[in-house]
Amino acid sequence: DVKVTQSSRYLVKRTGEKVFLECVQDMDHENMFWYRQDPGLGLRLIYFSYDVKMKEKGDIPEGYSVSREKKERFSLILESASTNQTSMYLCASFRNTEAFFGQGTRLTVV
Amino acid sequence: AQSVTQLGSHVSVSEGALVLLRCNYSSSVPPYLFWYVQYPNQGLQLLLKYTTGATLVKGINGFEAEFKKSETSFHLTKPSAHMSDAAEYFCAVRLGGSYIPTFGRGTSLIVHP
């Protein structure tokens, strides 16, 4: 089975902190995505990557950056966390037509 | 451009009743269509998908969906709801030439005893 692992299930950070969310997949997939999930808004794409060191902005990239130094790892970075970034963050990797999701990281910024 | 509309943010059914979750899409080319389920505090899991071929697609846990091109719809159904079906359901569309899916806003399925 494909496994997508997000490093934390729950995080609490302070406003202004630099926050790293890590995602690792074990199936050698080229395409990886970071989504943000908020009630009533569904999943919104933050960034995606289709290869090592390649990244593309999604629909809501402001306040975020990403890093993909190795194929299996895709990191989401909040440069200076703000309270409006309190949300559920979902990482996914893609094979052909199917997406495989991690368990999600629920981030609270106080 | 592609978009997905899920009708109804919440759907409530009794255990044993028919489940119908509605999804309409807009796409300028034949799309790939998906339904995902999310249980509380979990990631999303693929229920079923339509790519090509038979328009009636069967998925896990007794769910199925039918691709109706003329109606641009991909509604999800299950003949008899079970308490364990209570979850958030997401419809998604992806164009053939792109690997970026667009998700609907989700429908929360509530199952009453």
Side-chain angles (χ1 to χ4, degrees):
Chain A
D1 282 350
V2 175
K3 193 166 185 180
V4 179
T5 304
Q6 294 183 230
S7 54
S8 303
R9 293 295 302 276
Y10 301 93
L11 275 179
V12 180
K13 296 292 182 181
R14 295 193 180 277
T15 301
E17 275 194 79
K18 190 169 187 176
V19 181
F20 292 85
L21 303 183
E22 306 287 347
C23 176
V24 177
Q25 50 98 358
D26 65 358
M27 284 301 291
D28 203 36
H29 293 169
E30 293 178 340
N31 301 319
M32 296 186 73
F33 293 65
W34 275 105
Y35 290 93
R36 171 177 171 161
Q37 183 181 10
D38 299 289
L41 297 179
L43 275 69
R44 293 181 291 168
L45 183 62
I46 306 172
Y47 267 96
F48 64 97
S49 169
Y50 50 89
D51 205 347
V52 175
K53 297 190 184 296
M54 306 302 288
K55 59 185 180 184
E56 294 286 345
K57 293 180 180 180
D59 300 319
I60 53 165
E62 296 78 18
Y64 304 94
S65 63
V66 290
S67 173
R68 189 146 182 222
E69 297 297 319
K70 294 184 177 181
K71 195 172 188 178
E72 67 270 20
R73 185 180 297 271
F74 191 37
S75 303
L76 180 69
I77 304 158
L78 285 66
E79 297 291 343
S80 177
S82 63
T83 54
N84 63 14
Q85 292 178 309
T86 291
S87 187
M88 170 73 102
Y89 290 88
L90 292 167
C91 174
S93 70
F94 280 73
R95 177 185 66 196
N96 297 327
T97 59
E98 187 172 345
F100 299 86
F101 283 84
Q103 296 283 71
T105 296
R106 189 167 292 281
L107 173 67
T108 302
V109 182
V110 298
Chain B
Q2 59 196 32
S3 67
V4 180
T5 301
Q6 290 184 240
L7 300 176
S9 58
H10 294 82
V11 170
S12 183
V13 300
S14 298
E15 192 172 19
L18 171 71
V19 175
L20 171 61
L21 305 183
R22 299 177 187 273
C23 174
N24 288 88
Y25 68 91
S26 68
S27 172
S28 55
V29 298
Y32 296 157
L33 296 161
F34 309 82
W35 276 99
Y36 286 86
V37 61
Q38 184 183 34
Y39 299 103
N41 296 314
Q42 299 288 323
L44 276 68
Q45 176 185 359
L46 182 68
L47 265 181
L48 49 79
K49 64 181 177 182
Y50 168 80
T51 53
T52 59
T55 57
L56 181 63
V57 181
K58 294 187 184 299
I60 61 172
N61 301 336
F63 284 93
E64 62 183 35
E66 186 170 11
F67 169 52
K68 292 188 176 181
K69 186 178 179 180
S70 61
E71 299 177 8
T72 61
S73 70
F74 191 56
H75 300 331
L76 181 71
T77 61
K78 182 174 180 178
S80 177
H82 192 273
M83 296 296 290
S84 61
D85 294 327
E88 189 88 12
Y89 291 80
F90 292 92
C91 182
V93 61
R94 184 172 78 84
L95 299 184
S98 167
Y99 48 80
I100 304 173
T102 297
F103 286 84
R105 294 193 172 193
T107 298
S108 179
L109 177 65
I110 302 161
V111 183
H112 297 285

